[in-house]
Amino acid sequence: MITKQSLAENFNFYSLPHQQFKTNLLSVYIHVPIERETVTKLALLPAVLERGCEKFPTLADLCKHADELFGAAYDFGLRRKGDCAVLYFSLEFVQSKFAGENIAEQAMELLRQVIFFPRIENEGFLPEYVAQEKENQARFIEGIINDKREYASHRCAEIMFEGEAYGIPQHGYIADLSDVNEKNLYEFYKDIIGNCQTDVFFSGEFDEAAAIAQFKSVFAGEIAPRGRSAAPTAIAQAKNGEPKFVTEDMDVNQSKLNMGFTCECCPTVWEYFPLMMFNAIFGGGPFSKLFMNVRERLSLCYYVGSRVDRLKGIMTVGAGIAPDKYEETKTEILHWLSEMQHGNFSDDEINAAKKYITNGLESMKDSLFVMEDYTLSQSLINQKLPIDEFIANIQRVTKDEIVAAAGKIKLDTIFLLNGKEGGAE
Amino acid sequence: MKFETIENASLGEKLLFAKHSSGLNVYVFPKKGFSKYYAVYATKYGSIDNCFKAAGDNASTTVPEGIAHFLEHKLFEQPDGSNAFDQFSVTGANANAFTSFDVTAYLFSCTDEFYTNLDLLLDFVGTPYFTDENVAKEQGIIAQEIKMYEDDPHWRVYFNLLRGLYREFPVKYDITGTVESISQITPQILNKCYDVFYTPENMLLFLVGDIDETRAAELVEKHVRARGTEFERIFPNEPSAVAGDVTQKLAVAAPMFQLGFKDTDSAYGANSPLVGEKLLKKKLAAKIALEVFIGKSSELYTKLYEQGLIDDSFGHEVSFEPHYGFSTVGGESRDPKAVRDAIVAAIDEIKQSGFDTADIARVKKMFKGGFLRRFNSIEGIGNSFMRSIFNDIDAFSTLPTYDEITDDEINATFAEHFNPENMVLSVVEPL
């Protein structure tokens, strides 16, 4: 049973008991908005914090300490959740019965040090750490282009949600880096850790009461009310008129076609379950309409698939295609959407989709990380739907409901990363 | 089929094993408390197996590069025109397959109807169906896949490195082959490769989850028949000398590099395979040495990072298999040659001083934690045991082996393997 305990206002402790793993997972999530003015600073924070804190002043010191904790694996980063993000600090460590020593308390202390006691000099982060991580961040942003599939998908979101939080890339902007310095970055960070909603997740096999007591004792100085609770995500609205179309040329063999659709579906309503079913039949599963037709039957592409962002109420389709196959592929994708809007899919496809989704949901139980993320996402929409009830809902979805969900789907944006002519046949 | 049980008390795990009358080795790794089941049905046949001599043949057969991967794609196609993927979709299972240098594996994970899925897996892998028409269609699909890899700088920098490290040994070829090489593939060649390599003796079945081994055994009995005969793998002799550095220009933002070291141990190589405990020890010693040398906690990593020569894309790995061994370090860098030069200088220093005992102990502790973590994932268990078994390695012995390896062995492995003469730098530069 997942339990949530409020340690202070907007400061919660979630216990996720699981018996089957050899490790425990401890994570601290700080909920932050994604805003044009601050996103670049936000994106810089995890790397700067990893570089050093008072107790582990260099990266090597931190790594060595984690090694000594039986190879505890830490991960600090920024994870997008709809219009917002979480700044996360996770540590996975071997359970005491296998390690031969109790690591939990040291794990809590490690995270506390990294989050709350960064290395500070003259009211700012260490200047050389910030300067270097700015360079790394600039290179990282430039490097996104190396993964063309990822790049095309980013660009599609950017174009579809121009001027909105969802269109802001979570890695920030190179142009903004020059205004970031050790002092204003630290000011920004202090504001976040002092005021933004903070959720702690502890997963695995442990004694709940003892773990909470231990956490309260280790974080005694940090547990205090936070003024800003996690903000909700605005559902994408369907627009009138023609879809946006943007194309970019690049010297690559394979073109990437990305399409963004609005679904007009809130994450908390029943219609979400039919939408999820629609997506599985249309392009989400390995047996989907798009895969079986556009890839397998017509050999138009190497990959094609669709996914739904529940929080935002959108669907995106991505395909890797030969440069001369753009029109044909786009027409086929829209054709299969139209087919589904007209109810042209079979009971077999519905049953296969139900099984596919059920399998996916059941599988989530086998990962500490996935269950933690599921619980976090649930908390963002104020839902406490156990996986088994989620599965029961999927099982109850009817064909008419799927057709209704399909009927609300509307093409909004097309982005084409255009490969060189004659590059592939 | 009678299963024997291999217990491992310190991990709290056990493994069941039985040899089927066909020669197929069947393993069941019981995992209670997990929702998923995992099955992997694999053949010891990968992209390096381009030349072989089947029993009864007068001459050896050389086949086009990329054929193992091609065969993997094609095996999903069934005689009735259906695709095995569709059949798995009926039960909601996730089916997949992969081809590596040494192994082709067919696998699925599911949360329901495990035995139905296992039935399907054993059936489709046992039913090759190659026609001129379906081979031609696959050539189109794989050509697209190859084009995609041609655009992928991570893939290119890695395979360019292998081409620089190896002059003869077929690990230098892209696993997918080339558009040209796969165009030579015919149903006849596919059938030949299938007959030679997809025999029960050359395959294994590894199952993970809350599984009834008796029911699994019944399905093996239903589908698997003794078949095929002996064959010989033929590998070219690989000279010690490397082919040389490789540079390619691609649409990337910053240079990307891989620096590789070819193992030239004279007791080990193309025609004197290393397996079992010896291979495990060699691999773990190299892995520890590389981590102490250039892992995130090392002085060298810190120095390179602080100089801005590497960033957190930097990584390293060792690949030691029976017929070849190499290690790689790489990532993005504004100056790959400076990284290489710093590494070469540091190698010299370590060869003089040896590694610090405390560093070795710490790194061993880290790897042991990582090994334990693998048992959190049923796929992780299946894949790592499958690979170990093909190389005659007892995967359970990994933990005690970490303890057994001495500092001297690690220092000696480092001095032997990380030899700048066997080193190649592969770089992908911006256009």
Side-chain angles (χ1 to χ4, degrees):
Chain A
M1 249 286 274
I2 295 167
T3 61
K4 172 185 170 185
Q5 186 171 340
S6 173
L7 305 180
E9 194 184 355
N10 289 325
F11 198 124
N12 307 300
F13 188 99
Y14 290 82
S15 298
L16 284 70
H18 299 279
Q19 314 306 320
Q20 70 270 43
F21 302 107
K22 293 213 164 13
T23 54
N24 288 330
L25 177 63
L26 175 69
S27 301
V28 176
Y29 289 100
I30 302 175
H31 297 264
V32 289
I34 291 197
E35 289 161 344
R36 179 65 188 84
E37 298 71 34
T38 55
V39 67
T40 307
K41 285 182 186 159
L42 202 51
L44 259 179
L45 283 170
V48 170
L49 294 167
E50 187 188 345
R51 287 300 296 276
C53 55
E54 276 177 27
K55 195 165 174 197
F56 311 112
T58 69
L59 180 63
D61 294 325
L62 177 65
C63 289
K64 282 183 182 170
H65 184 63
D67 289 350
E68 293 292 356
L69 298 184
F70 241 86
Y74 69 79
D75 184 15
F76 312 146
L78 188 66
R79 193 184 310 156
R80 174 163 226 133
K81 289 282 169 192
D83 291 347
C84 300
V86 283
L87 195 57
Y88 67 86
F89 303 86
S90 288
L91 193 68
E92 189 199 16
F93 52 94
V94 174
Q95 275 177 34
S96 45
K97 67 179 167 191
F98 298 109
E101 53 188 289
N102 192 350
I103 296 172
E105 189 167 349
Q106 297 179 75
M108 290 177 184
E109 184 58 26
L110 187 157
L111 289 190
R112 188 178 82 105
Q113 291 293 336
V114 169
I115 300 168
F116 293 102
F117 302 94
R119 210 168 151 191
I120 299 304
E121 222 176 63
N122 302 323
E123 281 301 294
F125 290 118
L126 218 59
E128 54 265 42
Y129 286 177
V130 173
Q132 201 183 349
E133 295 310 328
K134 278 166 65 176
E135 290 228 349
N136 286 341
Q137 189 65 14
R139 279 215 298 268
F140 175 81
I141 296 170
E142 286 166 354
I144 287 171
I145 207 162
N146 293 353
D147 183 341
K148 314 297 178 256
R149 187 168 171 171
E150 184 77 14
Y151 173 77
S153 139
H154 274 291
R155 286 289 293 130
C156 189
E158 218 168 13
I159 294 157
M160 184 164 170
F161 295 98
E162 201 181 341
E164 298 175 46
Y166 199 83
I168 297 171
Q170 70 165 46
H171 43 74
Y173 299 88
I174 291 179
D176 293 3
L177 281 168
S178 54
D179 292 334
V180 180
N181 61 45
E182 61 278 5
K183 287 203 170 57
N184 61 25
L185 187 64
Y186 182 51
E187 278 303 309
F188 175 67
Y189 182 60
K190 272 200 299 192
D191 175 57
I192 287 176
I193 52 169
N195 296 307
C196 291
Q197 180 178 329
T198 301
D199 291 328
V200 180
F201 286 74
F202 195 40
S203 313
E205 194 176 340
F206 55 91
D207 179 317
E208 190 180 323
I212 295 180
Q214 201 166 41
F215 184 84
K216 281 181 171 169
S217 140
V218 173
F219 282 76
E222 288 73 37
I223 297 171
R226 302 298 197 254
R228 287 175 226 143
S229 57
T233 290
I235 302 302
Q237 301 296 319
K239 299 183 195 83
N240 293 321
E242 284 296 298
K244 287 188 205 170
F245 174 64
V246 175
T247 177
E248 238 175 70
D249 290 330
M250 198 183 275
D251 188 14
V252 289
N253 287 314
Q254 203 181 71
S255 292
K256 309 285 176 195
L257 169 60
N258 284 65
M259 300 164 89
F261 300 81
T262 52
C263 305
E264 293 192 74
C265 179
C266 288
T268 49
V269 298
W270 171 261
E271 283 70 21
Y272 172 68
F273 301 104
L275 175 62
M276 207 175 162
M277 281 291 294
F278 162 83
N279 179 59
I281 299 169
F282 177 65
F287 50 87
S288 67
K289 293 274 190 208
L290 294 186
F291 184 84
M292 297 313 292
N293 292 289
V294 185
R295 186 191 132 121
E296 291 293 294
R297 190 170 57 80
L298 300 167
S299 295
L300 283 172
C301 53
Y302 177 64
Y303 71 84
V304 62
S306 66
R307 56 181 297 270
V308 164
D309 185 335
R310 180 179 187 180
L311 292 173
K312 194 66 189 169
I314 60 162
M315 178 178 76
T316 49
V317 171
I321 57 176
D324 57 349
K325 296 282 193 268
Y326 161 65
E327 280 296 337
E328 205 180 332
T329 309
K330 179 190 78 178
T331 307
E332 276 296 321
I333 291 169
L334 294 176
H335 165 73
W336 290 107
L337 172 59
S338 163
E339 285 288 300
M340 288 197 64
Q341 286 168 335
H342 289 93
N344 292 332
F345 53 97
S346 67
D347 287 346
D348 283 351
E349 286 174 291
I350 295 173
N351 291 332
K354 284 183 176 176
K355 286 194 169 153
Y356 172 72
I357 295 173
T358 301
N359 183 56
L361 289 165
E362 282 281 357
S363 302
M364 288 166 59
K365 297 175 184 169
D366 288 356
S367 162
L368 289 170
F369 292 90
V370 174
M371 282 311 294
E372 189 192 81
D373 188 62
Y374 174 74
T375 311
L376 173 71
S377 295
Q378 286 275 297
S379 76
L380 287 171
I381 54 172
N382 295 313
Q383 221 175 44
K384 284 184 201 156
L385 190 66
I387 296 281
D388 290 336
E389 281 178 39
F390 199 132
I391 291 170
N393 287 351
I394 287 292
Q395 294 299 334
R396 295 211 313 270
V397 170
T398 64
K399 182 169 180 177
D400 288 347
E401 290 171 336
I402 300 171
V403 173
K408 291 186 175 177
I409 294 174
K410 194 173 172 213
L411 179 62
D412 183 285
T413 299
I414 297 175
F415 175 72
L416 176 68
L417 184 70
N418 204 14
K420 58 193 174 195
E421 289 296 318
E425 56 275 343
Chain B
M1 263 168 92
K2 194 168 152 29
F3 285 87
E4 57 179 278
T5 305
I6 304 154
E7 292 266 3
N8 190 289
S10 61
L11 292 169
E13 305 284 3
K14 64 183 177 184
L15 177 63
L16 312 182
F17 163 69
K19 193 170 194 76
H20 181 245
S21 58
S22 63
L24 181 70
N25 288 335
V26 180
Y27 299 83
V28 176
F29 196 106
K31 258 310 201 188
K32 292 201 194 303
F34 279 74
S35 299
K36 277 190 286 190
Y37 303 85
Y38 184 66
V40 55
Y41 191 21
T43 165
K44 195 174 172 179
Y45 170 50
S47 65
I48 62 169
D49 296 299
N50 277 340
C51 185
F52 54 86
K53 187 163 175 278
D57 285 3
N58 294 324
S60 62
T61 305
T62 301
V63 293
E65 295 155 33
I67 193 162
H69 171 256
F70 197 101
L71 211 167
E72 173 231 298
H73 268 232
K74 218 54 256 157
L75 215 47
F76 280 90
E77 194 144 327
Q78 298 300 287
D80 62 3
S82 70
N83 188 302
F85 270 121
D86 310 355
Q87 292 166 324
F88 281 104
S89 80
V90 176
T91 70
N94 280 317
N96 213 334
F98 65 82
T99 305
S100 68
F101 298 126
D102 321 277
V103 170
T104 310
Y106 301 84
L107 49 98
F108 70 82
S109 68
C110 65
T111 54
D112 194 18
E113 298 188 58
F114 172 74
Y115 304 97
T116 310
N117 290 317
L118 181 59
D119 196 14
L120 269 173
L121 177 73
L122 293 168
D123 181 48
F124 95 81
V125 176
T127 317
Y129 178 66
F130 312 122
T131 65
D132 288 331
E133 192 199 355
N134 73 24
V135 167
K137 189 186 139 219
E138 200 64 32
Q139 280 161 340
I141 291 175
I142 295 184
Q144 269 295 309
E145 188 178 353
I146 292 170
K147 293 281 179 199
M148 189 172 70
Y149 286 127
E150 281 174 4
D151 288 344
D152 182 343
H154 297 279
W155 181 269
R156 288 284 22 115
V157 76
Y158 189 75
F159 281 93
N160 287 349
L161 173 78
L162 292 177
R163 203 161 295 143
L165 282 174
Y166 289 90
R167 288 165 175 267
E168 304 292 338
F169 196 74
V171 71
K172 71 178 187 163
Y173 298 124
D174 278 27
I175 290 169
T176 50
T178 63
V179 174
E180 205 279 316
S181 73
I182 62 161
S183 72
Q184 299 161 19
I185 291 173
T186 63
Q188 292 70 33
I189 311 178
L190 288 167
N191 278 314
K192 175 95 186 175
C193 289
Y194 184 87
D195 288 342
V196 168
F197 292 106
Y198 283 71
T199 63
E201 291 280 355
N202 196 47
M203 297 179 75
L204 69 79
L205 179 66
F206 201 100
L207 311 175
V208 193
D210 192 359
I211 287 161
D212 175 353
E213 68 273 16
T214 316
R215 285 186 72 183
E218 283 166 15
L219 291 170
V220 170
E221 188 61 38
K222 175 180 165 191
H223 288 286
V224 186
R225 298 279 169 275
R227 196 171 54 74
T229 48
E230 307 261 297
F231 65 91
E232 190 191 338
R233 297 173 205 265
I234 300 171
F235 294 114
N237 272 318
E238 174 65 28
S240 298
V242 295
D245 294 351
V246 185
T247 299
Q248 184 182 357
K249 288 190 191 294
L250 273 178
V252 292
M256 202 178 271
F257 76 100
Q258 286 287 329
L259 184 69
F261 295 85
K262 175 163 78 172
D263 202 86
T264 54
D265 181 352
S266 57
Y268 166 43
N271 293 307
S272 44
L274 202 60
V275 293
E277 208 184 315
K278 281 185 179 163
L279 178 62
L280 178 65
K281 262 197 154 177
K282 189 173 174 86
K283 187 173 173 168
L284 297 187
K287 195 169 144 175
I288 295 165
L290 189 57
E291 180 67 31
V292 176
F293 179 57
I294 205 164
K296 250 181 155 176
S297 319
S298 68
E299 269 176 48
L300 181 56
Y301 182 98
T302 305
K303 192 176 114 190
L304 294 170
Y305 193 97
E306 284 177 353
Q307 289 174 347
L309 283 171
I310 60 172
D311 57 26
D312 76 352
S313 67
F314 187 78
H316 56 84
E317 94 178 296
V318 298
S319 303
F320 280 77
E321 296 295 334
H323 298 275
Y324 61 89
F326 61 88
S327 56
T328 58
V329 295
E332 280 181 32
S333 174
R334 59 180 162 80
D335 191 350
K337 286 191 172 129
V339 178
R340 178 195 59 194
D341 295 345
I343 288 174
V344 170
I347 287 174
D348 264 354
E349 279 174 38
I350 299 291
K351 280 183 185 170
Q352 302 298 319
S353 64
F355 290 121
D356 189 271
T357 299
D359 285 340
I360 290 178
R362 177 176 48 75
V363 163
K364 282 182 174 179
K365 206 171 175 187
M366 178 198 106
F367 280 134
K368 286 197 275 186
F371 178 78
L372 284 163
R373 196 176 296 125
R374 202 177 295 163
F375 290 88
N376 278 355
S377 152
I378 59 155
E379 294 91 344
I381 294 168
N383 292 340
S384 63
F385 272 76
M386 179 263 288
R387 286 174 188 282
S388 294
I389 293 163
F390 274 145
N391 292 341
D392 292 332
I393 289 171
D394 166 18
F396 281 137
S397 72
T398 305
L399 275 189
T401 305
Y402 276 120
D403 292 328
E404 281 163 23
I405 297 177
T406 64
D407 291 8
D408 287 347
E409 286 171 312
I410 292 163
N411 282 314
T413 301
F414 182 80
E416 187 191 28
H417 178 75
F418 295 94
N419 177 357
E421 283 179 17
N422 308 329
M423 180 181 72
V424 164
L425 178 65
S426 163
V427 180
V428 165
E429 288 177 345
L431 292 170

